[in-house]
Amino acid sequence: MNFRKFGNTDLVVSEIGFGAWAIGGGAMIGNTPIGWGDADDDISQKAIYQSLDAGINFFDTADIYGLGHSEELIGNTIGTSKDVVIASKVGNVSRNGVFTTEYSKEYILGACEASLKRLKREVIDYYQLHSARHADLQKGECIEAMQQLVREGKIRYWGLSLPTFDPVPEAHYLINRQAGSGFQLVLNIINRIAIPLMKDAYAAGYGIIARMPLQFGLLSGKFDSQTTFPDNDHRKRRLPAEIIEEFESRQQGLMRLSREYDITLSQLALSYLLSFPGIATVIPGIRTPEQAVLNTGGIKILNYEDREQIEGINFFPLMEMIRKRG
C-alpha cells in the first residue's frame, strides 16, 4: 500500500481507503432506500480487519449511513486505534420518515457529539459537511460550527463532501475563502466532470477524496442486464437495466486495457484515479474481506496513452442517463 499526504494537513492516508456506506446495511427512510441492501455485521467487521491487513488506514463513513450503524461498526472495531484516520460526515438527516438536510450550527455541534460516541473516539480526524449546497455555505452557520469544533478539539480538520452534480460553486466558495482542508468529490472513468475542479483544489492545497470510483458497481464488471437489486438497495432506482446495457455497449476499450495490464476492470478504474497526483485517496465501498483484497491489489501506473484512450471513450450519453436518475 502506498500513502499520500492529505493536502496541507498533517494527515497521511492510504491511497485506497475504506468506503463505509455499504456496511451500514439496508436502512430505509420512509419508503426510500439509503443503503446497499442487507449487510452481515460479522462479515463487515472481517472486511474492516482485512482492510487493515492490506494496509488501509483511511476509513470514511457518515452519520446517515445505516442511520448511524456504519459509525457504530467502525467504533466497535477500530474506534480506539491511533493508527487509523477516520472521516465522517454531517448534514443528511432522517426526520419524521423523510430524508432532509440540516446545516445549522446547533445541529452540527450536537451531531458531532453523537458521532464521537458511536465512533468511540475523542476526536474525528476529518469531518465533512455532507453535500452542503452554496446557499447553506453562504448562511455561514455550518462553517462557524466546523471552526468551533476544531477549536474545541472535537475534530482535527474539516471539509466538504461535494454534491454529486455541479459541485463547482460549493468548492470555490471555500477555496476563495481558504476555508476547510479538503473535498470529497465524485470521480471515476465514467464521470470525469470534476477533473478540472480536482486540479484547482489540489493546487490550492486541499486534500482530495475520490468517491464512487466504481460508479455504484458498474465498473466492477459484475453486472449485466439481468442484474436486479432488492428494495432496500438504492441501486434498484439508480442502476436499471437500460443503464447497465448502455455501459456494456461502451466498455470494450476498458476490457482490452484490463487484459493488457492483467488486472480486473475495477482495478483498472482505481488505477486510473490514482494516476492523478492530486487525489490523496480513493474510497471504493468495501463490504467483504474479498473486496478488501481485490480493491487493494493490482494497482498499476497507467501510461499517458492509456489514460488518453480511457478519456476518449464517449460516456456522455450514459452520464445523462445517470444524472436523470439522481
Side-chain angles (χ1 to χ4, degrees):
M1 178 65 68
N2 294 318
F3 295 83
R4 302 185 180 192
K5 194 168 182 293
F6 190 73
N8 287 338
T9 75
D10 64 358
L11 302 177
V12 177
V13 297
S14 51
E15 63 183 14
I16 298 294
F18 187 108
W21 182 4
I23 64 171
M28 305 283 290
I29 297 180
N31 295 320
T32 302
I34 62 166
W36 297 66
D38 294 337
D40 184 311
D41 286 353
D42 182 59
I43 293 175
S44 297
Q45 290 176 337
K46 289 177 180 177
I48 292 171
Y49 290 127
Q50 182 61 57
S51 297
L52 288 175
D53 289 343
I56 288 178
N57 81 333
F58 182 78
F59 292 79
D60 179 85
T61 184
D63 58 6
I64 196 69
Y65 296 165
L67 300 176
H69 190 56
S70 175
E71 287 185 327
E72 288 173 345
L73 276 172
I74 290 176
N76 290 335
T77 50
I78 58 174
T80 58
S81 173
K82 296 180 180 180
D83 298 325
V84 296
V85 176
I86 293 181
S88 195
K89 309 181 195 74
V90 62
N92 287 350
V93 180
S94 172
R95 185 166 290 149
N96 299 321
V98 177
F99 180 89
T100 185
T101 59
E102 175 67 74
Y103 301 103
S104 70
K105 184 175 181 179
E106 180 181 10
Y107 175 77
I108 291 171
L109 297 179
C112 182
E113 293 289 351
S115 287
L116 285 166
K117 290 179 181 178
R118 287 189 290 266
L119 291 167
K120 297 187 181 343
R121 292 182 69 93
E122 295 180 357
V123 59
I124 296 172
D125 297 297
Y126 180 61
Y127 201 40
Q128 302 155 90
L129 296 167
H130 204 168
S131 302
R133 302 313 302 247
H134 190 253
D136 302 310
L137 299 174
Q138 285 182 310
K139 289 179 182 177
E141 281 197 48
C142 57
I143 295 176
E144 290 175 12
M146 293 303 220
Q147 293 171 336
Q148 179 173 326
L149 289 169
V150 172
R151 290 194 303 270
E152 293 176 350
K154 302 294 178 62
I155 65 176
R156 296 182 65 193
Y157 301 100
W158 69 275
L160 177 58
S161 181
L162 291 163
T164 300
F165 301 107
D166 305 319
V168 173
E170 290 78 15
H172 279 285
Y173 187 88
L174 294 192
I175 291 172
N176 292 339
R177 290 159 179 78
Q178 298 181 317
S181 298
F183 296 109
Q184 182 174 146
L185 47 79
V186 174
L187 189 57
N188 56 57
I189 284 175
I190 296 169
N191 185 346
R192 302 187 295 268
I193 295 171
I195 287 178
L197 174 59
M198 177 267 294
K199 293 179 178 178
D200 288 346
Y202 175 61
Y206 286 79
I208 307 297
I209 304 166
R211 80 173 185 269
M212 285 172 54
L214 304 181
Q215 190 57 51
F216 297 139
L218 268 183
L219 288 162
S220 71
K222 296 179 179 179
F223 299 158
D224 59 33
S225 59
Q226 303 305 309
T227 299
T228 59
F229 301 98
D231 290 341
N232 63 349
D233 189 326
H234 73 101
R235 292 174 296 180
K236 182 172 184 177
R237 172 175 62 86
R238 288 188 163 118
L239 293 183
E242 58 266 26
I243 284 182
I244 297 174
E245 290 170 354
E246 178 67 22
F247 173 69
E248 286 182 316
S249 72
R250 297 173 185 272
Q251 68 174 336
Q252 291 82 1
L254 299 179
M255 298 304 294
R256 182 188 67 77
L257 282 175
S258 69
R259 288 192 296 269
E260 287 184 6
Y261 280 99
D262 192 26
I263 55 179
T264 66
L265 183 57
S266 59
Q267 288 168 341
L268 177 69
L270 298 174
S271 295
Y272 169 74
L273 293 174
L274 290 172
S275 68
F276 293 98
I279 292 176
T281 186
V282 180
I283 52 169
I286 297 177
R287 60 195 304 178
T288 68
E290 293 76 19
Q291 288 177 346
V293 173
L294 176 66
N295 290 329
T296 53
I299 303 300
K300 305 291 185 179
I301 303 300
L302 304 188
N303 62 45
Y304 179 77
E305 290 75 16
D306 289 338
R307 274 184 50 181
E308 273 201 325
Q309 179 178 324
I310 289 172
E311 293 173 357
I313 301 173
N314 180 16
F315 282 120
F316 182 77
L318 177 60
M319 270 301 304
E320 288 304 296
M321 295 172 68
I322 292 171
R323 185 189 291 266
K324 289 178 182 178
R325 289 277 169 174

